[in-house]
Amino acid sequence: EDLRISCGLFTKVNATVPRDRIQFISIHRPLLMRPLGLAAVRIETAGGGGNENEDASATVSRRWFVPVISQQAAMDLLPILRPQIAWDEATMPWQGLSPLAGRRMFRQAILMSLLAAAIGLLATRPWGFLAGLVVLPLGGLLARKKAQARRYARTPWGLVFQSGILNRKLSFSFLDRLQTVDCGQSFFDRRWNMATLRVDTAAAGPANHLIDISYLDADFAVAEFYTLRAAAARERPAFG
């Protein structure tokens, strides 16, 4: 039930990760690693997110569990870390953002382009406004890609959250490890009938991918909040 980590060239570091303490698993695929078919695996374990003065064994086990691994091997590792995980991307019950999310993000891109044009015009007249013409299409493209890349799924064993354009992140949390579930709406969320769903574990943070999903349809987010709260209350630790 223990996972062993060994690393270091001059200073050897050995760490042990009890499998029943794993709270969160995150697979990162940065832009430069994807063409090579590589990924990195991060985990969060019970015991908190650590601090700046923690020793190297705690750092390597909580943050960089496997810094470089093939993408297929990373996916094959999932049921070893948590046997409940039945991963099949094609059959996941994915929930995307609100249908209006792309439009809202594009409006934000327009505001950013106007701001860039105003700053550029003040800085370098008369051609500074061209900065806004550059920012607008780029911002619009990023808004569309960001909305498409962000999706969420709830399964009988836990939660799956995917996001990121340049650094694609795929994370798994578990119903028996949830600590807090929160659903909130800002003023602008209410105008767009949207909400933000947040789910935390006891050690949220080291994996660098929080389940904090904005721009969800408000009705879905509220219903999911109550479902997750009830499910987490029913669950018992899956190990030990």
Side-chain angles (χ1 to χ4, degrees), residues 13-239:
V13 176
N14 294 284
T16 300
V17 180
R19 197 164 53 151
D20 62 347
R21 294 172 65 90
I22 295 175
Q23 309 245 352
F24 192 87
I25 304 168
S26 188
I27 297 176
H28 294 209
R29 294 182 296 161
L31 179 63
L32 297 180
M33 294 176 68
R34 288 202 302 272
L36 302 176
L38 300 175
V41 181
R42 290 190 176 197
I43 62 172
E44 294 175 1
T45 57
N51 54 64
E52 294 181 356
N53 298 320
E54 66 185 0
D55 59 30
S57 63
T59 301
V60 72
S61 64
R62 286 177 179 156
R63 290 174 169 79
W64 289 115
F65 181 63
V66 185
V68 181
I69 191 173
S70 72
Q71 294 181 16
Q72 184 57 52
M75 306 314 295
D76 293 341
L77 187 62
L78 291 174
I80 297 175
L81 298 177
R82 292 286 299 217
Q84 307 101 308
I85 296 180
W87 172 249
D88 185 354
E89 184 174 6
T91 60
M92 282 287 110
W94 293 113
Q95 171 67 37
L97 303 183
S98 165
L100 299 176
R103 187 186 304 176
R104 181 177 174 184
M105 291 181 181
F106 183 68
R107 289 193 179 185
Q108 292 173 348
I110 292 176
L111 293 177
M112 290 298 297
S113 66
L114 292 175
L115 179 61
I119 294 175
L121 190 60
L122 291 175
T124 56
R125 295 182 180 181
W127 304 107
F129 73 93
L130 293 176
L133 299 181
V134 174
V135 171
L136 180 58
L138 180 60
L141 178 62
L142 289 176
R144 179 184 177 187
K145 293 294 185 181
K146 186 177 180 180
Q148 293 174 343
R150 191 178 301 179
R151 54 185 184 169
Y152 158 88
R154 174 170 47 84
T155 70
W157 44 265
L159 313 176
V160 185
F161 178 46
Q162 186 177 63
S163 69
I165 302 174
L166 300 180
N167 184 10
R168 295 179 183 171
K169 302 176 183 180
L170 177 67
S171 294
F172 303 81
S173 189
F174 311 97
L175 297 178
D176 61 344
R177 293 292 184 258
L178 300 186
Q179 294 290 316
T180 62
V181 181
D182 176 66
C183 182
Q185 280 186 304
S186 68
F187 170 76
F188 294 104
D189 284 337
R190 290 193 294 273
R191 290 191 61 187
W192 288 88
N193 193 34
M194 296 180 186
T196 297
L197 183 68
R198 301 180 183 90
V199 180
D200 286 339
T201 62
N208 192 28
H209 193 214
L210 299 176
I211 299 182
D212 188 342
I213 317 167
S214 55
Y215 305 133
L216 286 172
D217 178 78
D219 293 336
F220 170 81
V222 171
E224 196 69 6
F225 165 75
Y226 286 111
T227 301
L228 289 175
R229 190 174 68 173
R234 291 194 304 266
E235 287 294 325
R236 294 293 183 268
F239 296 88

